[in-house]
Amino acid sequence: MWKTILRRLILMIPQVIILSLLIFVLAKMMPGDPFTGLIDPSTDPARLEELRQAAGFYDPWYVQYLRWINNALHGDFGISYMYKYDVTTVIGQRIGNTVRLSIISVILTYALAIPLGLYAGRYQNSWFDKTVVVYNFISFAVPTFVLALLMVYVFGFKLGWFPTSGSVSINAVPGTIGYFMSQMYHVILPAIVQALLGTAVTIQYLRSEVIDAKQMDYVRTARSKGVPTGKVFNRHIFRNASLPIASILGYEFTGLIAGSVMIEQIFSYPGIGNLFISSINQRDYSVITALILLFGLATLIGTLLSDIIMSIVDPRIRVQ
């Protein structure tokens, strides 16, 4: 399996190159430049041209790309024109918040989806199954921003149970238990929103697999031999039904990292999704290109992780 993983990593190299090229070209096609609107309007236009010349904005696109990719390989994505810091520093200050949000969201998603999917499939057409199906329809239909705004209004403003912005209290002391608890307190509401909307696909996968597994010959054989229903369900049906869920675990985590843009905006949560939107608004190309490249890499890594997890769950399956 290690040879296969190494081969997959090697195959990711041309994918990353193509991805970086597309990102760079599309970023350069955006209207304006990092100096647009970020400098005092009274600044001499000649001075703006000097800054653009110094930044290499008028070099051929391939020269700019090679310069950018060479610097990126050394961990240098340039300077953020908006924050006046290294891009790696700006992203580094935010990415921990997004990873924390994604991890907790995945945990809540599976904690809710697995029992609902299993029991809905086991007791097909029961009132419980019908309730879960209705819940799934609602989860698919409700837009993210609608549920997020509703949760902010009810549990943030009306009830005051959760904070509505930030990632930690301003009076929390870093490195203490209180600081950690404050971080968890701020992340729990946006994580619940992501989990509630993210359970639909997992529940549907698991429910369908359980229903299909109940019709398999090995299940019928086990039951004909007098094996208790609970034992058949736990040892055979659940194991086989969990394979599709394991296969999408890597996508689930990396997808939440890349898809946290709207949640972080609504909750004013200082993660990389929030940073991405503000960078687009301010034409901060250095941050934009670095973040999109990060999202693309996360997707590729998620694909690899899903294949690895799949092969671990079922030894018969090996990444081809």
Side-chain angles (χ1 to χ4, degrees):
M1 188 174 69
W2 291 109
K3 292 182 178 179
T4 303
I5 295 175
L6 179 60
R7 184 165 59 249
R8 287 291 302 275
L9 290 173
I10 294 174
L11 289 175
M12 285 173 59
I13 295 176
Q15 293 176 316
V16 172
I17 293 174
I18 295 173
L19 174 65
S20 65
L21 183 60
L22 289 174
I23 291 170
F24 184 83
V25 172
L26 290 175
K28 288 301 178 183
M29 292 174 64
M30 292 178 62
D33 58 53
F35 300 104
T36 303
L38 298 183
I39 299 179
D40 189 342
S42 62
T43 303
D44 185 0
R47 175 56 182 163
L48 294 180
E49 287 302 312
E50 291 179 5
L51 293 173
R52 292 187 178 103
Q53 289 284 357
F57 274 39
Y58 298 117
D59 293 341
W61 69 269
Y62 55 88
V63 174
Q64 296 184 52
Y65 170 74
L66 292 176
R67 181 169 58 236
W68 174 69
I69 201 66
N70 179 66
N71 292 335
L73 291 174
H74 292 85
D76 179 14
F77 288 94
I79 303 295
S80 169
Y81 291 92
M82 182 168 58
Y83 293 97
K84 310 303 180 185
Y85 286 108
D86 292 340
V87 172
T88 51
T89 300
V90 174
I91 294 177
Q93 294 172 343
R94 304 289 192 98
I95 194 170
N97 292 333
T98 298
V99 170
R100 186 184 308 111
L101 173 61
S102 299
I103 291 175
I104 296 175
S105 297
V106 168
I107 293 174
L108 292 177
T109 297
Y110 279 84
L112 181 62
I114 289 178
L116 290 180
L118 287 176
Y119 283 97
R122 182 174 181 178
Y123 302 107
Q124 183 184 9
N125 296 325
S126 65
W127 67 267
F128 182 84
D129 179 39
K130 293 176 181 178
T131 303
V132 171
V133 171
V134 171
Y135 166 76
N136 261 19
F137 283 139
I138 295 175
S139 297
F140 277 120
V142 175
T144 301
F145 72 91
V146 172
L147 179 61
L149 290 173
L150 180 63
M151 298 287 276
V152 168
Y153 176 75
V154 174
F155 296 102
F157 291 108
K158 298 295 289 185
L159 299 177
W161 291 356
F162 297 98
T164 58
S165 63
S167 62
V168 67
S169 300
I170 58 175
N171 58 349
V173 180
T176 63
I177 296 179
Y179 189 86
F180 172 76
M181 295 304 296
S182 178
Q183 287 181 318
M184 299 301 294
Y185 182 51
H186 281 73
V187 79
I188 191 65
L189 190 58
I192 289 174
V193 173
Q194 280 198 323
L196 288 176
L197 295 177
T199 54
V201 174
T202 305
I203 289 174
Q204 190 61 37
Y205 267 123
L206 198 53
R207 177 181 178 273
S208 300
E209 288 298 320
V210 169
I211 293 174
D212 291 341
K214 289 193 302 183
Q215 311 301 321
M216 295 296 179
D217 291 338
Y218 67 88
V219 173
R220 294 176 179 175
T221 302
R223 285 177 174 173
S224 67
K225 292 181 178 180
V227 180
T229 302
K231 193 173 182 179
V232 172
F233 185 83
N234 294 327
R235 289 194 177 184
H236 301 287
I237 296 178
F238 173 68
R239 180 178 179 84
N240 287 279
S242 65
L243 293 180
I245 307 304
S247 68
I248 64 173
L249 180 58
Y251 295 107
E252 192 86 38
F253 178 68
T254 55
L256 285 174
I257 291 179
S260 60
V261 176
M262 185 174 297
I263 291 293
E264 292 183 359
Q265 278 289 105
I266 294 175
F267 285 92
S268 298
Y269 189 76
I272 57 176
N274 199 329
L275 175 64
F276 182 64
I277 295 297
S278 61
S279 299
I280 291 177
N281 291 334
Q282 298 296 335
R283 301 293 190 271
D284 200 342
Y285 293 115
S286 299
V287 178
I288 294 172
T289 52
L291 285 177
I292 298 179
L293 183 61
L294 177 63
F295 294 154
L297 288 174
T299 303
L300 293 176
I301 293 173
T303 304
L304 179 62
L305 287 177
S306 294
D307 290 338
I308 295 174
I309 293 171
M310 190 72 169
S311 64
I312 292 174
V313 172
D314 188 349
R316 296 170 301 176
I317 299 175
R318 288 294 179 265
V319 183
Q320 298 299 322

